[in-house]
Amino acid sequence: MENHSMATATPENKDSFATSGNADDKQSKAFVNDNEKGGIKTMPFILLNEICEKLAMVGFSKNMVNYLTQQLHMPLTKAANTVTNFNGTSSLTPLLGAFIADSYAGKFWTITVSTAIYLAGMIVLTLSAALPQLRPPPCAGDQVCQEANGSQMTVLYLSLLFAALGSGGIRPCVAAFGAEQFVEEDPTQPKKTWVFFNWYYFALGVSILLASTVLVYIQDNVGWSWGLGIPTLAMALSIIVFLIGYPLYRNLDPAGSPHTRVLQVSVAAFRKRKIPSISDPKFLYVNEELDASISTDGLLHHTKQLKFLDKAAIVTEEDSLKSSEKPNFWRLNTVHRVEELKSILRMLPIWAAGILFATSNAQQNTFSLQQANTMERHLTKSFVIPSASMSVFGMLSVLITIVLYDRLLVRVARRITGLERGINFLQRMAIGFFIAIIATMVAGFVEVKRKHAASASGLIDSPESTIPISVFWLVPQYSLHGIAEAFMVIGHLEFFYNQAPESMRSTATALFWTSISAGDYTSTLLVTLVHKYSDWLPNRNLNKGKLEYFYWLLTLLQALNIVYYLICAKFYTFKPLSHKTEHVEGVELTTQV
């Protein structure tokens, strides 16, 4: 443990520190009151909302490529790009939802309103599936299928837009809102939060499992109106249940726009760019009372990286700082606010490493599903496995891996590393990246096997015929992707929540989703380019393509990506949180743990 004396560059600013003890007393009282709320009793209300969102989202997106090709008669590549564009947009809108939650509305009301918007989208989507005039006429055999017209596509895109906007408010807030229900006695030992993220993702896995089996079966065998109507009703129920739990929640008030603070630090550092740097950080501006609302877990400690931003915390004569006045944040910021921006910037290289993982994962909902469509899927003479239900093997792998990780791996690793969580989130992510490489490589070899079976049976020119090869050949690639997801995705989510400044946790969770968004858009770009400049991905007959080459291209890109990630992880600086502040004659002594 080290003691660091932190003060300002001018004597006039000592008074600005002296009143921080009152802020501590207020925070202590608030802490006691908050402890009366939250906890495990809030989890059913919070998780039910996210489960219903996943039922709705996954229940459609897992089978969307079939809906678009079979019901709206889209070409395969256009349908695949529509799926990834929708998933990408749904993972991009959380930036907007996080901004609203962190700046103005708070997480509770952002979740509530966003769920209502999502519900509106599901209602429109259900109507489009139920009303014949909103779909092109059916076709069979060798008949030329009529693609959906402009008005029909408008209804589809409108419903997807509402769903994407609603998802943007739910995704960044539910995980952060749930984690906030658990008060950490020691911020450096966030045992409860890592357990929460494991079981939060486990609950999502169960909902995805139901969507990939029960809902997909209903869509394929009963009808799309029922297959979409059921999750629509679930979404309506989730709003009611979530509102019922309101008296139990720990609701943290929004602390002002974190985006504005980031911009203010940037502007202040730019305006003071010509000022000489200060070698001793104790002369940078600190004001605990001013930062009380955005630092309830403790002040962020000064770090040596990105020193040019420190100039935003240098007090000059032009700042005219008085003890009774707040500084002009466009000229002067506290060390805590500077470190908020530094924390976000340090996270970006790790964020970027998740893009290609999401690109690889996206293929399970597009080309892997089309592989399944051509393979033997009979379990009995009368029961056929829906192709979209093959993802159940991936989700089962996720669930099993989470349980084994939580109950076995953590305990074994804890004895070796001495860490409460067994391995840190950066190590957990690295394991996921490595397994994902194997999963994509295996997918390529399975495609070779599938086409060999088609050739041996004389079915290369018969895209509608069932190839005599079991669909269970796809289980290894789905299962490996599931194991990789249990390591990488949960580690990535925990990384963003843990390393983000506390006032930016919704924004940080949104960053997690934007990496998935970027991965989906990268998939769209790759598919478009590969389709344009090669014969690997034909629109109508997958048997005549070279899908295995596409998978192996992804394998190569992921191999390069893991090298990049390991370099970023090696040089990453963890967020330095300071707390247990004492006051000695107007000077703050901050202990870093």
Side-chain angles (χ1 to χ4, degrees), residues 1-8 17 279-284 286 288 299-304 335 576-584 586-593:
M1 299 176 69
E2 301 176 3
N3 288 336
H4 298 274
S5 176
M6 303 181 73
T8 61
F17 305 120
S279 58
D280 192 342
K282 72 179 181 180
F283 294 110
L284 297 175
V286 175
E288 187 174 341
L299 291 174
L300 291 175
H301 187 68
H302 176 265
T303 57
K304 296 180 180 179
V335 169
L577 189 66
S578 304
H579 59 99
K580 298 180 181 177
T581 302
E582 300 176 3
H583 302 273
V584 181
V587 179
E588 292 189 343
L589 298 178
T590 305
T591 302
Q592 183 190 13
V593 180

Side-chain angles (χ1 to χ4, degrees), residues 17-325:
F17 305 120
T19 58
S20 60
N22 295 333
D24 292 339
D25 294 338
K26 293 177 181 178
Q27 290 178 40
S28 298
K29 294 177 181 179
F31 182 81
V32 172
N33 291 335
D34 282 343
N35 272 340
E36 297 174 358
K37 296 186 176 184
I40 195 67
K41 60 182 176 291
T42 63
M43 290 302 100
F45 304 97
I46 295 172
L47 292 182
L48 180 62
N49 179 273
E50 182 71 354
I51 286 172
C52 290
E53 188 263 351
K54 278 292 177 290
L55 276 175
M57 174 69 76
V58 178
F60 182 57
S61 64
K62 284 289 182 186
N63 212 16
M64 189 193 298
V65 73
N66 280 342
Y67 180 79
L68 298 179
T69 55
Q70 297 171 10
Q71 301 293 318
L72 300 184
H73 308 148
M74 278 189 186
L76 175 57
T77 53
K78 182 178 179 180
N81 284 344
T82 299
V83 172
T84 52
N85 285 339
F86 168 64
N87 290 336
T89 303
S90 298
S91 299
L92 190 62
T93 52
L95 282 175
L96 175 62
F99 172 76
I100 294 172
D102 282 343
S103 305
Y104 305 109
K107 297 179 183 64
F108 173 81
W109 289 111
T110 302
I111 294 171
T112 302
V113 174
S114 298
T115 305
I117 294 173
Y118 201 126
L119 176 61
M122 288 300 300
I123 291 174
V124 175
L125 189 60
T126 302
L127 289 176
S128 71
L131 301 177
Q133 59 267 36
L134 297 180
R135 302 190 312 276
C139 61
D142 296 330
Q143 181 181 354
V144 177
C145 298
Q146 177 183 332
E147 192 173 341
N149 59 36
S151 60
Q152 292 165 343
M153 293 301 296
T154 298
V155 172
L156 171 71
Y157 290 140
L158 181 64
S159 64
L160 296 183
L161 176 62
F162 275 113
L165 289 175
S167 182
I170 297 172
R171 287 182 172 183
C173 295
V174 171
F177 187 64
E180 286 175 356
Q181 304 308 309
F182 297 91
V183 179
E184 299 292 349
E185 293 82 9
D186 184 353
T188 65
Q189 297 290 335
K191 178 180 178 182
K192 291 179 181 177
T193 51
W194 71 258
V195 171
F196 165 75
F197 281 120
N198 274 343
W199 292 103
Y200 162 80
Y201 209 80
F202 184 89
L204 296 192
V206 172
S207 65
I208 293 172
L209 195 63
L210 289 174
S212 302
T213 53
V214 177
L215 285 182
V216 167
Y217 181 83
I218 291 173
Q219 289 165 359
D220 284 356
N221 296 276
V222 178
W224 279 93
S225 55
W226 279 102
L228 294 173
I230 292 174
T232 300
L233 293 175
M235 286 293 292
L237 177 64
S238 76
I239 299 178
I240 298 173
V241 173
F242 188 68
L243 288 173
I244 290 174
Y246 178 77
L248 303 176
Y249 303 141
R250 290 183 68 233
N251 283 302
L252 303 183
D253 294 330
S257 171
H259 303 78
T260 301
R261 292 199 301 276
V262 165
L263 184 59
Q264 286 171 335
V265 172
S266 302
V267 171
F270 178 78
R271 294 175 72 172
K272 296 181 178 180
R273 64 191 182 280
K274 296 182 181 180
I275 295 176
S277 298
I278 292 180
S279 58
D280 192 342
K282 72 179 181 180
F283 294 110
L284 297 175
Y285 180 57
V286 175
N287 189 324
E288 187 174 341
E289 182 181 19
L290 191 62
D291 292 332
S293 63
I294 57 174
S295 61
T296 54
D297 287 348
L299 291 174
L300 291 175
H301 187 68
H302 176 265
T303 57
K304 296 180 180 179
Q305 291 80 20
L306 304 169
K307 288 185 177 180
F308 64 93
L309 292 176
D310 290 342
K311 294 184 178 182
I314 296 176
V315 181
T316 65
E317 294 181 358
E318 295 179 5
D319 292 316
S320 301
L321 191 62
K322 296 181 180 179
S323 59
S324 60
E325 297 178 357

Side-chain angles (χ1 to χ4, degrees), residues 384-513:
V384 178
I385 302 174
S387 56
S389 291
M390 288 303 296
S391 60
V392 71
F393 294 102
M395 192 45 58
L396 280 174
S397 297
V398 170
L399 299 180
I400 293 171
T401 303
I402 289 174
V403 174
L404 292 177
Y405 181 91
D406 189 69
R407 298 301 176 183
L408 180 62
L409 179 59
V410 168
R411 296 180 182 182
V412 174
R414 188 181 294 155
R415 296 175 183 174
I416 300 173
T417 65
L419 296 176
E420 179 65 29
R421 65 183 76 220
I423 57 176
N424 66 41
F425 32 74
L426 294 180
Q427 294 166 334
R428 183 172 185 170
M429 290 165 60
I431 295 172
F433 281 128
F434 179 74
I435 297 174
I437 293 174
I438 299 175
T440 312
M441 182 170 59
V442 167
F445 286 115
V446 171
E447 174 62 8
V448 172
K449 176 73 175 178
R450 188 194 69 84
K451 288 202 304 181
H452 178 75
S455 178
S457 304
L459 297 176
I460 289 292
D461 295 318
S462 303
E464 303 298 328
S465 300
T466 299
I467 300 170
I469 179 174
S470 173
V471 74
F472 291 110
W473 276 93
L474 297 177
V475 170
Q477 67 196 60
Y478 276 105
S479 297
L480 286 169
H481 273 296
I483 296 172
E485 186 174 340
F487 279 93
M488 191 277 168
V489 174
I490 299 177
H492 211 198
L493 182 60
E494 186 187 359
F495 165 77
F496 282 115
Y497 182 84
N498 183 281
Q499 291 297 291
E502 63 183 80
S503 62
M504 298 185 183
R505 282 172 176 162
S506 294
T507 301
T509 308
L511 281 177
F512 163 79
W513 288 108

